Amino acid sequence: MARFAFFFLAVFFVGATMFAGLIFDDLVLDVTEDQHHSLAPGSDEVMANLGLSLQAELFGSTGHEGGAAFLSARAEQVKKQLAQLAGMSGGRFTWSHREVAPHSMGEDQLIALGLEPIILPDGRRHYLGMVLSNSIDQHQVFPQLADVNNPNRRDLLMAIERLGQPEAAPIQLLVGKAAEPLVPAIRQAMKGRVTLRGLDEDMNGLDPEIPLLMLQPDTISGAGLALLSSALAKKMPLIVMVDPSLPGDAILPPPLLAQGLALEDGVVVDDRLAMKVRGQDATQPINYPLWLELGQDQFVSASLLQAAGPLRLTAAGSLVIGRGAKKDELKPLVWTSDQAGILPRSAIAAMPGDVPRTGWSNPGQKILALQVNRQDLHALVIADLDFLSPSWGFNDNTQIFMRLLLDHAGISQAASLDPGLPKDRPFTRLEDMRAEARKAQANVFARINENIKNQLANLVLLQNQPPAASRNEAMGQVEQQLRDAERDLLAVSRQTDQGVNRMTQMLALANSFLVPLILAVLGGVLGVARMRRRRLT
Amino acid sequence: MNGFWAIWRRELQAFGSSPMAYLFLALFVMMNGIMTFVLGDFFEAAQANLSGMFAVMPFLFLFFVPALGMRSWAEERQTGSVELLLTLPISPEAAVLGKFCAGLTLAWLGIMFTLPAWITATWLGQPDHGLIMSGYGAAFLLAASMMAITTTISALNHSQVLAFVISASCCFLFLVTGLGAVSEFLGANLPAQWSLVLWEYSSLARYNRMVGGLIGLPDVVYFLLLIFVWLWAGMICVRRWLEE
């Protein structure tokens, strides 16, 4: 009888769990502070204002034999997401789901549509992708819905926003000659969303009502500058992109300089050196060739900071690699340009091509962008265009750039569509300690960096001399001195981190052993008391 | 529920007068601290969150919870005191619930002893307190479900060691299907719906969802049902002894 009871209990558990899953499926509370799992209010607005009707076709092979459970779970998550969006759209957004078995005729159709297989570690392949189309036969393919936590939530919403609008928004485009090869990549990134209207250097035909995108605008005529000044005064949305690694001059047009925006002369020449300056925190090399000078009234938009990663801009004259959401609360990891190994651009120009410049590799897939929102200025400055190189193809950086640009131009609500990744929550106390320690060692850092700067300049001079045995010997000496200086830099960095290391060790010990020690003492005392009591009785 | 409080108090007194309970608690807190702060990447990641600690906790529970709960019935049966207990005017439901709640009190006390980690994260930075609270909620529920399993398995065994081993194995089975590698293996060898069902019935999958900051009613109901079903099975065992 008891066995039957156990069996019935097991059946009850399975059935009741399943029932609860069906009935209470939507009753989920997102308790994260930044509502990381929820749709942001911007999504409501996008779904409520669709100009065209949209249809999403979800394709999956996860329900078939050999499917991985995590993929099936992901498919369920996407279905829930689509159902939620459909409910918000007032009938303008519909969706359907189709199961396609791998190795079947249907698989060819999926491949023809542009879906890509998800290859499991044991070699099996499965599909989980989507085609989103609108009523005028435009479509966007999601080859894989691969994001584990929220499968492509932000991209999906952006695509809905794009396909749901009947007309592409215009942006005016002014391109310096050096940046012309980048235009196809930008057109590709903006395809269907934005119509780019070309302007000449005189800025003939500039419409102050339409956002202006400038690429490497090194030469603009006097008439064009006057036009730009008047457009700026009308708070025209402006996006400027410059890059010193392009042949032209990476300068801002004078009307912008007059507004207090400036690009300082400088390039990080050696990302390894910069990494060492950061000491033990370094996980990624620094890849950003320029830093921007900001006036006191300017500030950096929090949403942009979130997209642009750990780069932060502080007070006038310096970019720090640091953390923090507000200008005044920034916690620098590198203090000044000198300490990050930044050289004047004139020195870079004299260097041979094989000097390891940063910006060529970009493992962090981030871009440096600065948004200035002042009463009289509405500008976005991007100071590194390497990520738009045609040889790189359409990568994550291009997508980040597109979001920044559309958001800034007021074409998209991309920034408010999705809460994005969980916020960076650094150990501010330890960073304060580290900053204090570094401030105390600032003179030593400056001396070593000055030495490195001089040695690098010597190296450049020697490299420009005709080959000779004496030149090679001198170069060897300079390289040795450079290595010594880097070692010194590392030693000083370690010294400054000593206090932080001690603190972390103390915290680790306290958390691991303090409470157990108290409990062990209590247990010991109790054991002894018990033994004594036994002896007495 | 006649006698619930008496049993609960008696069990807690027994725990309190035994150095072993302190030892288990100390071991749990120490292992948790070491795995999070010494072997884990809490300081390397430099992020004020306790995700590392909550990732380790279910596997520490595998030893800690059965160690606390193994003696609840097995010891009584071993020493013969269960017969005396059952002659007292105490209902079997009260006896099972009292023992379960006493063990659970201790297990939750163990979890509470890890709160200094939360204080540390708050002192160092600005953690997401909602996320941490959700993580602690998940840990409380997981520990409760494991304690229910252990209490019942203890009622089925005379030997504490055997009760510990079987309970730990049983709890492991509920965790293991939520591991990515196991899920992939099952997916390769079972129909997808089966592996999805096993995934959904895994305590670990639901625990991880809550640790990620999503408190779903189906997940809470799952844990409550798991506790209820195992305790009910325990009551059936105790009733059977009474009948015998």
Side-chain angles (χ1 to χ4, degrees):
Chain A
M1 189 62 194
R3 274 181 204 160
F4 283 117
F6 291 153
F7 174 74
F8 284 126
L9 274 176
V11 171
F12 168 73
F13 171 66
V14 171
T17 307
M18 210 176 281
F19 186 69
L22 289 173
I23 298 293
F24 306 126
D25 195 26
D26 295 334
L27 295 176
V28 179
L29 191 65
D30 181 358
V31 293
T32 55
E33 267 174 21
D34 48 359
Q35 294 289 293
H36 174 57
H37 302 283
S38 311
L39 289 172
S43 310
D44 285 318
E45 214 167 302
V46 170
M47 295 312 293
N49 295 307
L50 289 176
L52 299 170
S53 57
L54 298 179
Q55 206 208 347
E57 267 185 290
L58 178 67
F59 297 96
S61 63
T62 54
H64 286 82
E65 192 157 353
F70 74 93
L71 273 180
S72 306
R74 201 179 294 172
E76 290 304 315
Q77 203 177 8
V78 178
K79 285 184 209 168
K80 272 185 207 168
Q81 208 171 61
L82 293 175
Q84 189 183 5
L85 292 172
M88 292 155 69
S89 71
R92 296 194 77 80
F93 176 76
T94 54
W95 68 282
S96 59
H97 173 230
R98 215 177 102 201
E99 275 288 318
V100 180
H103 314 289
S104 71
M105 292 287 283
E107 187 176 5
D108 295 338
Q109 288 175 345
L110 297 191
I111 294 167
L113 281 171
L115 265 68
E116 288 168 6
I118 297 167
I119 312 284
L120 299 184
D122 61 2
R124 285 173 295 134
R125 61 177 191 272
H126 280 281
Y127 293 88
L128 182 60
M130 193 167 64
V131 179
L132 189 68
S133 37
N134 63 13
S135 50
I136 53 170
D137 215 22
Q138 293 171 323
H139 67 273
Q140 179 163 340
V141 179
F142 291 82
Q144 284 185 1
L145 296 166
D147 187 348
V148 178
N149 291 322
N150 292 294
N152 299 67
R153 182 174 56 181
R154 186 197 285 250
D155 294 331
L156 172 63
L157 283 162
M158 285 201 68
I160 288 175
E161 192 187 36
R162 181 173 74 82
L163 292 174
Q165 300 310 321
E167 283 176 19
I171 284 188
Q172 302 177 95
L173 179 68
L174 176 74
V175 187
K177 278 199 172 54
E180 276 169 3
L182 303 177
V183 175
I186 292 177
R187 282 193 192 280
Q188 176 65 25
M190 299 291 141
K191 200 176 167 188
R193 195 63 192 274
V194 163
T195 315
L196 293 173
R197 291 184 190 165
L199 296 171
D200 58 23
E201 282 172 359
D202 285 337
M203 302 192 78
N204 281 333
L206 178 71
D207 183 346
E209 300 301 317
I210 300 175
L212 172 63
L213 170 63
M214 303 169 95
L215 298 183
Q216 201 82 346
D218 48 347
T219 49
I220 300 178
S221 70
L225 294 177
L227 208 58
L228 179 60
S229 293
S230 71
L232 282 172
K234 290 177 186 166
K235 212 187 165 193
M236 168 186 190
L238 179 73
I239 304 112
V240 187
M241 302 175 76
V242 289
D243 193 333
S245 65
L246 290 175
D249 279 338
I251 54 167
L252 298 179
L256 278 179
L257 297 173
Q259 295 284 346
L261 269 181
L263 297 171
E264 193 172 328
D265 266 351
V267 176
V268 180
V269 288
D270 188 341
D271 55 325
R272 287 169 304 145
L273 179 62
M275 210 161 75
K276 281 177 185 171
V277 174
R278 290 176 71 192
Q280 291 186 342
D281 284 331
T283 51
Q284 301 283 351
I286 297 166
N287 296 297
Y288 305 94
L290 269 182
W291 77 103
L292 305 173
E293 186 176 58
L294 286 175
Q296 293 297 327
D297 302 327
Q298 296 143 0
F299 65 94
V300 182
S301 144
S303 60
L304 266 173
L305 286 180
Q306 205 174 331
L311 283 162
R312 298 290 183 268
L313 294 145
T314 57
S318 62
L319 159 68
V320 294
I321 313 297
R323 292 188 172 114
K326 292 178 187 167
K327 194 172 86 174
D328 300 336
E329 294 172 2
L330 292 177
K331 307 296 175 196
L333 297 174
V334 174
W335 302 325
T336 69
S337 53
D338 281 347
Q339 285 156 10
I342 295 175
L343 288 185
R345 202 186 308 157
S346 52
I348 298 295
M351 283 187 175
D354 58 352
V355 171
R357 283 196 193 186
T358 56
W360 290 10
S361 64
N362 199 0
Q365 294 185 325
K366 287 163 188 160
I367 57 172
L368 168 57
L370 160 71
Q371 193 172 33
V372 184
N373 286 317
R374 263 188 1 206
Q375 256 188 350
D376 55 346
L377 188 63
H378 183 50
L380 171 71
V381 182
I382 298 175
D384 181 2
L385 308 189
D386 292 344
F387 62 92
L388 282 175
S389 165
S391 60
W392 280 43
F394 191 74
N395 57 44
D396 283 358
N397 282 338
T398 327
Q399 290 179 34
I400 296 174
F401 154 71
M402 184 173 68
R403 284 172 195 157
L404 292 179
L405 199 145
L406 292 175
D407 177 49
H408 180 78
I411 295 165
S412 166
Q413 300 178 49
S416 60
L417 280 177
D418 189 286
L421 295 170
K423 271 184 206 154
D424 191 31
R425 293 176 186 276
F427 292 153
T428 45
R429 194 172 289 264
L430 294 186
E431 286 180 4
D432 282 349
M433 283 176 68
R434 197 171 280 128
E436 282 297 314
R438 292 205 169 184
K439 208 178 278 176
Q441 298 272 17
N443 289 337
V444 185
F445 269 120
R447 202 178 57 239
I448 297 170
N449 277 301
E450 186 62 36
N451 184 18
I452 289 173
K453 198 195 288 185
N454 293 337
Q455 297 301 341
L456 279 170
N458 287 342
L459 195 64
V460 173
L461 287 174
L462 286 168
Q463 278 171 337
N464 287 335
Q465 284 175 11
S470 59
R471 187 196 82 149
N472 292 345
E473 195 182 327
M475 276 176 69
Q477 280 175 358
V478 170
E479 279 166 3
Q480 180 58 41
Q481 280 168 346
L482 267 173
R483 278 194 289 275
D484 290 346
E486 285 187 12
R487 215 172 19 245
D488 290 348
L489 206 57
L490 198 62
V492 177
S493 283
R494 279 199 193 126
Q495 214 175 331
T496 55
D497 285 344
Q498 263 178 5
V500 172
N501 292 342
R502 263 201 301 272
M503 174 63 73
T504 57
Q505 279 166 7
M506 205 181 76
L507 286 171
L509 285 175
N511 273 287
S512 306
F513 300 108
L514 191 62
V515 174
L517 194 70
I518 295 167
L519 285 168
V521 169
L522 261 175
V525 168
L526 209 79
V528 171
R530 205 168 156 188
M531 267 167 54
R532 278 194 186 160
R533 206 165 47 231
R534 271 192 194 157
R535 256 187 232 151
L536 284 173
T537 52
Chain B
M1 295 295 283
N2 202 11
F4 167 79
W5 290 110
I7 294 283
W8 182 72
R9 217 171 14 243
R10 170 181 173 269
E11 287 293 314
L12 274 187
Q13 275 169 358
F15 276 127
S17 62
S18 151
M20 290 306 282
Y22 293 92
L23 184 73
F24 288 144
L25 281 176
L27 266 177
F28 168 71
V29 181
M30 190 173 76
M31 288 309 294
N32 187 66
I34 288 174
M35 302 288 262
T36 308
F37 294 97
V38 181
L39 301 176
D41 65 346
F42 181 78
F43 290 111
E44 283 74 22
Q47 288 293 306
N49 66 50
L50 297 180
S51 57
M53 185 180 90
F54 289 121
V56 165
M57 242 182 208
F59 301 97
L60 291 178
F61 284 167
L62 276 182
F63 300 95
F64 171 59
V65 176
L68 287 177
M70 65 184 179
R71 56 174 290 284
S72 59
W73 288 105
E75 192 185 36
E76 302 252 20
R77 293 183 74 184
Q78 207 169 19
T79 57
S81 60
V82 70
E83 286 167 19
L84 178 68
L85 179 74
L86 295 175
T87 56
L88 296 172
I90 291 169
S91 67
E93 289 82 10
V96 170
L97 273 180
K99 280 178 178 290
F100 163 74
C101 287
L104 188 59
T105 308
L106 225 62
W108 283 5
L109 198 65
I111 297 172
M112 303 275 265
F113 282 135
T114 66
L115 286 178
W118 189 353
I119 297 167
T120 304
T122 310
W123 186 73
L124 286 172
Q126 290 175 316
D128 184 338
H129 295 290
L131 195 66
I132 295 179
M133 269 192 273
S134 172
Y136 270 106
F140 284 138
L141 282 172
L142 185 68
S145 67
M146 285 185 170
M147 186 55 78
I149 293 171
T150 307
T151 309
T152 301
I153 287 178
S154 172
L156 289 166
N157 286 284
H158 288 273
S159 157
Q160 290 190 43
V161 178
L162 208 58
F164 173 83
V165 173
I166 298 174
S167 306
S169 311
C170 200
C171 295
F172 179 68
L173 279 179
F174 273 94
L175 287 187
V176 77
T177 48
L179 289 172
V182 177
S183 151
E184 277 175 22
F185 173 79
L186 292 173
N189 297 289
L190 289 175
Q193 290 308 321
W194 280 70
S195 54
L196 183 61
V197 165
L198 284 173
W199 168 275
E200 282 297 314
Y201 279 91
S202 156
S203 301
L204 190 62
R206 298 192 181 250
Y207 169 85
N208 283 339
R209 219 159 17 218
M210 289 178 78
V211 165
L214 274 181
I215 300 181
L217 196 56
D219 297 336
V220 175
V221 169
Y222 164 86
F223 280 114
L224 295 179
L225 278 170
L226 197 62
I227 295 164
F228 172 79
V229 162
W230 278 96
L231 287 182
W232 197 272
M235 285 171 198
I236 292 171
C237 290
V238 176
R239 278 193 179 283
R240 200 170 59 181
W241 301 340
L242 272 176
E243 284 164 12
E244 282 170 6

